[in-house]
Amino acid sequence: MYSLGVDVGGTFTDLVALDEQSGSIWHCKVHSTPHDQSVGVQSGIERILSKLPDRESVAFRTINHGTTVATNTILEQNGAKVALIVTEGYKDILQTRRSHVPGGLAAWITWKMPGPLAPLDLTVETPGRIGIDGKEIRQFDEQVFAQRLKAIVAEKPDAFTVSLLNSFVNSEHEKKALSTIRKQFPNTPISLSCEVQPEIMEYERTITTVANSYLHPRVAGYLEKLWDKVRGRTKCLNVLRSDGGLCSISLACQLPVTLALSGPAGGVAGIAGTIASHTEYKNLITLDMGGTSTDVALIKNGSPTIRRTTTVGDLVVRTPSIDVKTVGAGGGSIVHVPELTKALRVGPQSAGADPGPACYGRGNVKATVTDANLVLGYLPGKILGGEFHLDVDVARDVIQKLADNMSLSLYEMAEGILRVVNETMYGTIRVMTVEQGLDPNVFSLVAFGGAGPMHANALGILLDTFPVIVPPSPGVLSARGAALTRLRLEVSKTFIYVLEKTSSEDIFGAYQTLKAEASEKMSNEQGVSVENHQYTYQADVRYTGQAINITIDVDIPLLKEEGPQHLRQTFERLHEKLYSFRVPSNLELVNLHIIIEEKKTAFPIPLLQAAKSHPPPEAASGSTTIIYQLKEFRDCPMWDRTQLLAGHLLCGPCLITEIDSTTTILPGFAAEIDKYGNILIQRAAGKPDAVDNVPVKGVAKDKPHNEQLDPITVDIFESALRSARFEMDALVTRAAMSPAIREQQDEFPMIAEPGGLMIAGQFGSFIPDFLANWSDSIEPGDVFLTNDPYSVGGAISHLNDWLIMMPIFFEDKMIGWAANFGHMTDNGGDVPGSLPNCASSIFEDGLQIPPTKLVSAGKMNDSVTEILLRNCRMPEWNRCDVMALIAACNTAKKRLLELYNRFGSRTYFLAIKELLHRNHRAVSTLFETAIPKHSVYFEDWIDDDGKGTGPWKIACTMSKQRNGQLKFDFDGTYPQSSSSINFLLSHSMFKMFVGFYLIAVYDPGNLVNDGFHELIDVHVPLGSLLNPIRPAALSCRTHLLGRVLDLIAGLLGQKAPEFMTAGGFSDSPHFMYSGYKESGEWFQLYQIGMGGIPARPHGDGPDGHSLWPAFKSIPNELLELQYPLRIESYKLMTDSGGPGLYRGGNGLKICYHFLDQGEISIHDDRWLSYPCGAVGGMPGGRSRKVLVRDSGGGRKRKVLGSKVDHVRVEEGDLLEWITWGGGGYGDPLKRAPEVVALDVRRGLVSPAGAARYGVFINEDCTVHKPRTERLREKVRKARPPGWENRIFDRGGDMDDIRAKALEETGLEAPRYPWEVLPRGPMSGQKYIQDWFKKHKG
């Protein structure tokens, strides 16, 4: 009896036939057929059958198939036309995407937002609403919904998704929508979110279900076609899912989203089914390196680790998958050297399979990783059993060109390429292990895929994970894994209860319900009899208030015996392992899971014959020359793996070749063949006698004796620092408790050298100003805490930002600093949330923490900790967040110590010095080439200060100095305010912002640091808004912080268009809601608002997003669960994005329905001024806030000011909050009319708003071409002379804007700042006195 495993890749389709009685295997490769993968599979089956001894009578017991159909459909964006059904008020759920822009500080300038899988013009809102408690709030209206569906009949959607709010707790409305859709679209497949992903968090549930619909036609069509072709050879076709289990084609067609990572799962499953099951090695790191990318995963105690999300490209869906991390580093990864930084970059761009690496001879002229392996002798000149010849001369040519650019030799460059790509993979593995609280040293590395075995030995050295294992036939391991895998099914249920208030009977009862559902599906749809079912119980648990869940295994007998305490103990042990601390807080159950698998069948594995002597000469297919560490090793044997026996020991350097891969054994290492045929690479006891270790003339270029450091080492060091920074982010956002950090990711890590200069981070360094003010000792084991902006030169900007700083010592020598600040939800003071709008001094802002030793020589100062927490309304949140910040700094500490030990003191400090110099050199070059000599000026406004005074101007002149510096002079900025809008501008932070804007355009891969700071001179008048004198209040500084980003773009962009953006959502408005519930429980919400991102030279500004790095919106279902409110609508504000060639992003309109009394505070701006348009673009829309109260006889509407505190709300009150839009970029008349019409169909632009683009829209949302031409000509003629030279459009003169304020906004214009006498420590400053004289006169 045979089983067959099939894995379809981009270039080849691999097949492995397994004789289940003897364990013998046969394998083959055939070319994939991307137009129809089933053709290649059928061809492969015929090929593999020809190898079997009884081919004519063979009928496979099962064909288990790993497929990339789902993956490719996502990446190629050629899935179904999906219609999306959503709750009324949530039409834009996929457009806003939780408002997240990936990347660093300036990434939004070049980021290309992917289009939604279900377009807005195919999104239909349903009347009716289910509450978070499952109760019906508004009835589902079938008639209204049916009428709305008629609007998309003509579009003929291929599939439907229904995803309604809170359907995870009550699916009745989704089922009613299903019934209504069936009447109009009887033959169209429909996915319900309550069936696909019945868990809390509306965006995640929606995108997962939409992806299921998007994939359904292609996946189902492919599997049905494949089944037709193979049914004569098998009675059972199963498909490999992302979680490494098999499912029937019936379930695969129902839930194709579970196949998104089917391909990578096969290799990991193969390792688990062979090496982990049959050898002593149970803890494994898998490395699957192909042509385009590398997948890494962990196997713990013999089982692959599973995560609750699946990521393919930009798409993240909520389905279980083997925890595979993908990095853009493969054999085909293209090598390049940016002219700006002269740094070596490898990937993520790839040459792919066609044309492939340069050595393939198919026309590619760019060097790749494969070319470097060939040049160094790690890859033979003939591969695939001698069928494919590689051109080593072409490989040498393309690498030599890069070498010349960096003043390196051929072999220095080739080795450098491999060192950089290995470091990239090493960093990915480190991040993965840190996320799970694991040390890679206790694992063994298993390498497979076409390129993995070539890099395995070198990665083993970096990870110190030996033995390094290369399994037999590593190029077809995914197919082998598919052949060995079992049927599997998972069912889940949201089950949100405080653990301490839940009985084990309640939990066990919920599991029993899930078990019955799982058992029925496994029996009826998977065909596995009940006696062959095997169950695993899991639960998602968190500390109450956290949003990052930890999945724990649940032992049902222990649950019955110990009750909920069993879950607490299991959770806290894992939490401490992951994050190094526990919190004295209640726990919350979130989701329950049951995993059901068929019982394991033990397949025999044939053993290799034992060797009786050394490998015979005929086992070597030839010899080669290998270059390693710039030394040439001649006559290195190339061993034919098929000729090797168990016990053979092969000394490096050598190659072990087979038809689908090559394994490189480096000098100083040896490879042993075990009885299963695995290659085990270990450190050799001594140098092999046969090694001809002779340095080759000309391998390395002669270099001056005083040269500091080779550039490749610097690139590797840079990559390691980047990984350490990402590890800090990963840890703190998972471990924190407050929504500000865990959801909105308002935290910013930083790594610095001993003097405090930042070498990794994005907000500049916090250390130099701290050191300038700290007079006490700094010892190993110390941890410092402060939240006082005045003590660190504004490096943190208000008291809610708690800054942790940790010195890092090697023995008694300081080698660096780690620091991280995070926004605390509360810091005491008069206003819940500690962000008072109308504070007149910092004393009213809240608790001030001067620089303090929170930890002294490793011992926590508990007394200080308790004092701090006693003064906060949310002490447990603050405690947990601080511990998370410290844990992240400890992670950075470990990484710096590893780097110091790895490279040694001299190289460690020289690498830091060169990285700083590299940034200095890059920015200096940009100043010379991209910045004009003459000065430029930019100004912007804060509308008011919350006390009826404004607008407040910030002004800056940028000019190049004779000494090469770029000077930013803020002369003209208004005086500091008597309220809290002041912003103590950190010079270091401002310089970092400038650097990010400049470098991100030319070398996005560069790690920006403080090295260029001396090139920038910043002058801010003392006593002004941006340099206030203590004790000026700072709690409402967010608006000026945002304006600084608009200001940088406005200055740099005036003469360098690649830096130009429109004005817009550079702010982060805040909403706070607090009070006591009827139960007596205190609640306190702090939420950051999102809006329209400015249009850019690269395209439209994203709608409803945040340009602050890593910020995300809080899921509305979580808000409704945790707070007494209901979000009635969360949608885009049509026409709020400024018109232009590229449209500014639309702002949001959010409607909060308060379900209990309390009070709210709002931080907002742009209610008066407009976000400016640029180079012909028009301004974006204003913000607006309206409180709607029930006045007995009806609703009474009141326009709120932009900065208000202590606004009382009662049950039933509504708050309508409109955030502002982004400005447009370029002439609106140049925007294609068809694009404007599409925006109208999608509700992003109204028909009337289309006229601002000079487009006339018909009633059917098509373009009326003649009237459009006439309208555009009319607009052109009406433009004033000189219009084309105008850089910015602010919507008019500020005096005119003020004059229309009441009419247009419902609010009186504020009084001018000079109408209020200055009183405070700034009053005696000459700048302030002169300013008042000038403006009052």
Side-chain angles (χ1 to χ4, degrees), residues 726-742:
F726 288 158
E727 289 178 45
M728 294 178 74
D729 271 326
L731 193 150
V732 76
T733 54
R734 288 177 62 84
M737 186 173 284
S738 69
I741 296 177
R742 62 170 163 79

Side-chain angles (χ1 to χ4, degrees), residues 620-659:
S621 60
S623 64
T624 188
T625 297
I626 288 177
I627 308 296
Y628 180 64
Q629 293 184 348
L630 299 183
K631 292 184 173 62
E632 183 181 65
F633 298 85
R634 304 189 186 107
D635 300 322
C636 302
M638 294 192 296
W639 299 104
D640 182 350
R641 188 169 186 176
T642 63
Q643 301 298 310
L644 299 176
L645 303 177
H648 275 153
L649 186 67
L650 312 171
C651 294
C654 67
L655 302 182
I656 302 173
T657 64
E658 51 195 308
I659 190 170

Side-chain angles (χ1 to χ4, degrees), residues 13 201 299 342 415 428 440 497 602 629 648 703 712 817-818 871 894 963 1019 1072 1077 1182 1185 1195 1232 1238 1283 1304:
T13 294
M201 296 174 72
I299 295 175
K342 295 290 185 181
E415 284 204 292
T428 300
Y497 290 96
Q629 293 184 348
H648 275 153
K703 297 183 179 180
I712 306 301
W817 289 84
N871 284 277
K894 291 177 184 176
N963 61 2
H1019 170 69
M1072 280 79 73
K1077 298 179 183 178
R1182 291 161 160 160
K1185 296 144 295 289
R1195 292 283 185 177
L1238 181 61
W1283 177 91
E1304 294 180 350

Side-chain angles (χ1 to χ4, degrees), residues 334-335 351 355-359 361-368 371 394-395 397-399 401-402:
I334 292 172
V335 185
C359 61
R362 294 175 177 167
N364 174 38
V365 295
K366 296 179 180 179
T368 68
D371 296 309
V394 171
D397 287 345
V398 294
I399 289 178
K401 290 177 182 177
L402 291 172

Side-chain angles (χ1 to χ4, degrees), residues 67 128 241 300 340 463 580 605 698 952 1006 1045 1110 1269 1287 1295:
T67 175
R241 302 193 320 175
K300 295 186 293 185
L340 179 66
L463 290 162
S580 76
I605 293 184
W952 299 79
N1006 184 71
L1045 294 183
E1269 291 174 2
I1287 299 176
D1295 288 335

Side-chain angles (χ1 to χ4, degrees), residues 333 367 631 769 777 780 1020 1101 1174 1283:
S333 292
K631 292 184 173 62
D769 286 294
S777 64
V1020 187
W1283 177 91

Side-chain angles (χ1 to χ4, degrees), residues 568-581:
R568 171 173 279 280
Q569 292 173 353
T570 305
F571 170 83
E572 292 200 320
R573 281 195 301 268
L574 185 53
H575 192 280
E576 187 168 27
K577 180 180 180 181
L578 291 172
Y579 308 124
S580 76
F581 65 92

